[in-house]
């Protein structure tokens, strides 16, 4: 057995069967009160300190000499104000234990301490001989409690002053908390005693969607989604919501949601979209008017001339045919041009019917080149093809594809000088086909490259290009889930790259 530290008053443990001596009991008691973690002191009936335990001395950095034999109420006069002295007298008078809680005082170092103190009368032969005082220091506990309360208040403020709707739902979707903003938006005065289901604040048509997200969040998958709720005035409010699970002791007990009112943003977006649409329609209308104006002016001028000549040749019908034929030809040409423009516009708006079939891409590219080859040869330009054997068929509308490649090759032929070369390349890349139209022509300036896909943008002389070609190509490729991009170096050449998925390329 270990020797107790400090030596001093130690008596050997008595035999288990023998009666312990009073001395042994006293030693036991002394050791016991010194070892426990609670401050203990013994006062006589006048308040003189007879005994203090080690814990009390350690805790308040006191030593026995300055306490023993001194009157506690003289030593610490403030105890009277704190009601301790009054209780002391009461214990003596009534001979019963009394407790004083949350006593606050400054210790000798100026530290604020809080403690509970219990006084127990010591009775000897029916006489009260003193008081055993047990003191438990709760300073740290109080500090922690007030820290928790402060944090709680801070969080509460934060949540209540948030610009977002913050709420919690239980496993069944009943509202277990709703912050001020949420109450303001929905008009629901949250009361924890009431059982209000969240669905009461969600419009019928988004109920299913909301429920799906709610279930997903409960399953541990946080959700972020746009939805709607019913506002206090019955108006629909657009919200962007984030929800995730709330757990208690590892167990899911509900969800926490943070919803932001995005109604204004939505309205703004819609307005912008509308404004954009109007601007695009305006631009398109101006372009169409401008493009059609020229041929129509020529047609009407020529028709006027024709009328004049018909009158003039009334007497000499034999000379008429040849002269008139020239004018009719002009009318025919210009009317055809109008038709090309309107056809182009129709294609641009993708109103023409589409027929998706299995297209043999190499064959289609060869046929497209054949349409331009004669012109290219006549102008001293060469078209060459590099087709990957991996590329065979894709599902798409052949007429639309042909339109795309025809315009690109035509553009390339227009761009190269005599002896220039145009290369048509098709390669397989994973599940897609990449077609490139490469030329070593004049290239496109940095300023123009941003505009080439705009309808009616052309650098070609009046009467030659409508400027609709690339915008139509863009629309078609996009509808096939493909992409179209361009790289160009002025003076060196241009490469257009079209990527098409190999699967079904149904127009959207
Ligand atoms: N390969 C190319 N090299 C240089 N410039 C090009 C090339 N392809 C297109 N462009 C430029 O892009 C413009 C727009 O082309 P787009 O095909 O849309 O219209 P267009 O060819 O001018 O007229 P349209 O195709 O209706 O006959 C052309 O006018 C030209 O300036
Ligand atoms: Mg073109």
């Amino acid at each position: 057995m270990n020797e107790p530290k400090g030596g001093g008053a130690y008596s050997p443990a008595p035999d288990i069967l023998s009666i312990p001596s009073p001395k042994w009991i006293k030693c036991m008691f002394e050791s016991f009160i010194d070892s426990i973690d609670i401050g203990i002191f013994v006062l006589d009936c006048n308040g003189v300190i007879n005994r203090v335990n080690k814990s009390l001395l350690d805790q308040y950095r006191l030593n026995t000499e300055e306490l023993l034999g001194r009157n506690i109420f003289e030593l610490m006069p403030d105890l009277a104000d704190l009601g301790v002295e009054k209780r002391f007298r009461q214990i003596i008078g009534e001979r019963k234990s009394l407790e004083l809680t949350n006593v606050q005082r400054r210790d000798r170092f100026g530290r604020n301490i809080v403690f509970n103190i219990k006084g127990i009368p010591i009775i000897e032969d029916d006489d009260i001989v003193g008081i055993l005082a047990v003191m438990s220091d709760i300073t740290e506990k109080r500090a922690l409690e007030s820290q928790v309360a402060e944090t709680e208040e801070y969080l509460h403020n934060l949540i209540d002053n948030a610009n977002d709707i913050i709420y919690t739902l239980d496993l069944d979707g009943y509202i277990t908390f709703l912050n001020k903003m949420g109450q303001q938006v929905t008009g629901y005065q949250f009361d924890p005693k009431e059982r209000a289901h969240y669905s009461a604040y969600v419009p019928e048509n988004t109920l299913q969607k909301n429920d799906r997200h709610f279930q997903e969040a409960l399953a541990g998958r946080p959700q972020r989604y746009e939805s709607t709720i019913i506002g206090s005035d019955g108006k629909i409010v657009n919200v962007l919501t984030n929800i995730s699970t709330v757990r208690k002791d590892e167990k899911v007990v509900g969800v926490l949601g943070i919803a932001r009112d995005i109604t204004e943003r939505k309205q703004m977006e819609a307005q912008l979209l509308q404004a954009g649409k109007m601007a695009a329609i305006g631009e398109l209308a101006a372009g169409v008017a401008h493009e059609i104006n020229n041929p129509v002016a020529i047609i009407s001028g020529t028709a006027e001339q024709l009328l004049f000549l018909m009158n003039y040749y009334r007497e000499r019908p034999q000379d008429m045919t040849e002269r008139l034929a020239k004018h009719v030809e002009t009318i025919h040409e210009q009317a055809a041009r109008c038709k090309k423009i309107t056809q182009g516009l129709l294609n641009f708006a993708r109103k023409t019917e589409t027929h998706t079939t299995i297209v043999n891409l190499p064959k289609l590219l060869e046929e497209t080149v054949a349409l331009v080859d004669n012109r290219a040869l006549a102008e001293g330009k060469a078209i060459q093809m590099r087709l990957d054997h991996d590329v065979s068929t894709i599902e798409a509308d052949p007429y639309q594809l042909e339109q795309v490649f025809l315009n690109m090759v035509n553009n390339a032929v227009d761009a190269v000088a005599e002896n220039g070369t145009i290369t048509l390349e098709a390669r397989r890349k994973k599940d897609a086909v990449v077609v490139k139209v490469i030329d070593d022509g004049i290239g496109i300036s940095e300023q123009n490259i941003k505009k080439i896909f705009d309808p009616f943008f052309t650098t070609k002389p009046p009467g030659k290009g409508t400027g609709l070609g690339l915008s139509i190509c863009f629309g078609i490729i996009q509808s096939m889930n493909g992409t179209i991009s361009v790289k160009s170096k002025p003076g060196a050449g241009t490469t257009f790259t079209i990527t098409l998925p190999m699967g079904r390329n149904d127009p959207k």
Side-chain angles (χ1 to χ4, degrees):
M1 199 209 258
N2 285 336
E3 286 279 320
K5 279 193 187 111
Y10 170 72
S11 305
D15 186 292
I16 197 113
L17 293 173
S18 64
I19 298 164
S21 71
K23 193 178 172 202
W24 188 87
I25 293 177
K26 189 168 179 284
C27 285
M28 257 290 283
F29 178 70
E30 297 278 321
S31 311
F32 171 69
I33 67 164
D34 266 345
S35 65
I36 57 173
D37 218 12
I38 299 167
I40 292 176
F41 55 95
V42 181
L43 305 174
D44 71 9
C45 291
N46 296 315
V48 174
I49 305 166
N50 278 339
R51 171 81 173 92
V52 284
N53 79 336
K54 195 167 171 304
S55 171
L56 189 92
L57 297 174
D58 289 351
Q59 201 164 359
Y60 301 109
R61 284 189 248 165
L62 298 163
N63 52 55
T64 333
E65 291 75 50
E66 55 189 334
L67 297 175
L68 286 189
R70 307 271 312 264
N71 186 300
I72 193 165
F73 303 113
E74 279 168 19
L75 204 62
M76 302 168 191
D78 61 318
L79 290 182
D81 298 335
L82 294 170
V84 178
E85 193 173 355
K86 192 175 150 216
R87 285 294 156 95
F88 174 81
R89 309 256 163 257
Q90 223 176 328
I91 296 167
I92 305 232
E94 296 172 16
R95 293 177 164 221
K96 66 171 190 194
S97 303
L98 284 175
E99 189 171 8
L100 213 61
T101 52
N102 288 321
V103 185
Q104 285 191 43
R105 71 178 298 264
R106 279 186 190 283
D107 69 2
R108 60 198 294 222
F109 303 105
R111 294 176 307 186
N112 224 337
I113 55 167
V114 189
F115 55 89
N116 294 339
I117 184 163
K118 187 167 185 178
I120 304 148
I122 305 171
I123 314 278
E124 207 177 282
D125 298 334
D126 225 18
D127 270 339
I128 180 155
V129 291
I131 288 180
L132 176 76
V134 179
M135 206 173 136
S136 34
D137 193 300
I138 53 167
T139 315
E140 261 179 42
K141 192 174 155 222
R142 271 297 119 87
L144 260 172
E145 276 170 6
S146 81
Q147 250 179 32
V148 169
E150 254 175 50
T151 314
E152 227 171 58
E153 196 186 328
Y154 174 75
L155 283 177
H156 222 268
N157 273 337
L158 209 68
I159 288 172
D160 254 349
N161 294 318
N163 272 331
D164 292 338
I165 301 168
I166 301 176
Y167 60 93
T168 52
L169 305 178
D170 68 11
L171 292 173
D172 300 319
Y174 285 96
I175 302 170
T176 45
F177 173 78
L178 183 67
N179 74 338
K180 262 194 198 144
M181 183 49 100
Q183 300 187 31
Q184 208 172 305
V185 174
T186 57
Y188 165 52
Q189 292 303 311
F190 172 67
D191 179 352
K193 284 179 258 112
E194 249 177 50
R195 262 171 80 74
H197 199 267
Y198 88 89
S199 59
Y201 300 94
V202 173
E204 195 75 33
N205 59 347
T206 57
L207 250 181
Q208 244 187 345
K209 174 185 160 73
N210 273 286
D211 195 55
R212 210 175 44 242
H213 289 297
F214 172 59
Q215 297 302 342
E216 283 285 305
L218 278 183
R221 290 179 284 276
Q223 304 284 302
R224 181 184 168 87
Y225 58 97
E226 278 188 21
S227 186
T228 48
I229 55 173
I230 306 169
S232 56
D233 45 7
K235 270 199 200 136
I236 299 298
V237 180
N238 291 88
V239 283
L240 173 66
T241 304
N242 282 290
I243 53 169
S244 51
T245 38
V246 178
R247 287 169 200 270
K248 206 171 177 185
D249 305 327
E250 305 282 304
K251 234 180 94 193
V252 176
V253 292
V255 297
L256 163 74
I258 302 177
R260 175 159 295 182
D261 183 346
I262 52 163
T263 313
E264 249 177 58
R265 196 190 86 191
K266 278 267 178 208
Q267 279 166 356
M268 253 336 212
E269 275 173 8
Q271 271 172 19
L272 274 177
L273 198 71
Q274 188 58 21
K277 267 193 205 160
M278 295 309 283
I281 291 171
E283 233 173 80
L284 195 68
V288 174
H290 180 257
E291 286 301 309
I292 299 212
N293 223 15
N294 284 338
V296 169
I298 298 172
I299 291 171
S300 90
T302 315
E304 236 174 75
Q305 274 230 321
L306 209 56
L307 273 177
F308 171 79
L309 287 176
M310 279 169 81
N311 275 334
Y312 178 78
Y313 284 119
R314 199 158 282 164
E315 285 94 46
R316 279 163 291 211
Q318 68 281 10
D319 298 338
M320 194 169 127
T321 325
E322 201 183 324
R323 300 273 318 253
L324 294 194
K326 212 176 117 231
H327 290 293
V328 173
E329 209 173 284
T330 308
I331 291 179
H332 183 245
E333 263 172 24
Q334 296 303 318
R337 183 161 167 70
C338 285
K339 196 176 159 205
K340 192 178 165 199
I341 292 167
T342 48
Q343 193 60 44
L345 278 171
L346 277 177
N347 282 341
F348 180 64
R350 280 186 268 121
K351 287 281 187 294
T352 45
E353 271 182 50
T354 53
H355 299 284
T356 304
T357 55
I358 293 178
V359 179
N360 181 331
L361 195 66
K363 195 162 159 251
L364 183 129
L365 290 173
E366 271 161 15
E367 281 167 6
T368 310
V369 169
L371 293 174
V372 204
D373 225 13
N374 280 342
R375 167 165 95 98
L377 272 177
E379 293 175 17
K381 303 163 182 176
I383 306 180
Q384 56 185 35
M385 299 186 83
R386 285 203 294 252
L387 306 178
D388 209 340
H389 61 266
D390 263 14
V391 179
S392 52
T393 56
I394 65 167
E395 280 185 65
D397 181 325
Y399 170 72
Q400 290 196 328
L401 273 185
E402 190 185 272
Q403 247 193 313
V404 171
F405 298 127
L406 193 61
N407 181 58
M408 305 237 122
V409 177
N410 262 325
N411 280 352
V413 174
D414 286 341
V416 297
E418 211 181 325
N419 295 325
T421 309
I422 296 109
T423 309
L424 202 61
E425 197 185 276
R427 301 211 175 288
R428 171 112 186 239
K429 200 174 168 189
K430 287 187 192 156
D431 293 334
V433 185
V434 180
V435 180
K436 288 189 177 186
V437 183
I438 308 159
D439 71 61
D440 53 7
I442 48 169
I444 310 169
S445 71
E446 210 177 305
Q447 200 187 357
N448 284 349
I449 208 155
K450 290 179 234 145
K451 301 185 229 163
I452 56 168
F453 292 106
D454 292 351
F456 299 115
F457 174 78
T458 181
T459 53
K460 293 176 186 169
K464 191 129 193 275
T466 62
L468 285 174
L470 282 179
S471 57
I472 294 169
C473 293
F474 190 86
I476 293 175
I477 298 298
Q478 208 182 30
S479 76
M480 293 178 175
N481 290 325
T483 58
I484 179 166
S485 62
V486 59
K487 267 202 181 131
S488 186
K489 205 168 175 196
T494 305
T495 300
F496 278 90
T497 307
I498 295 159
T499 308
L500 284 170
M502 295 273 281
R504 212 176 151 78
N505 288 302
D506 270 338
K508 276 188 251 170

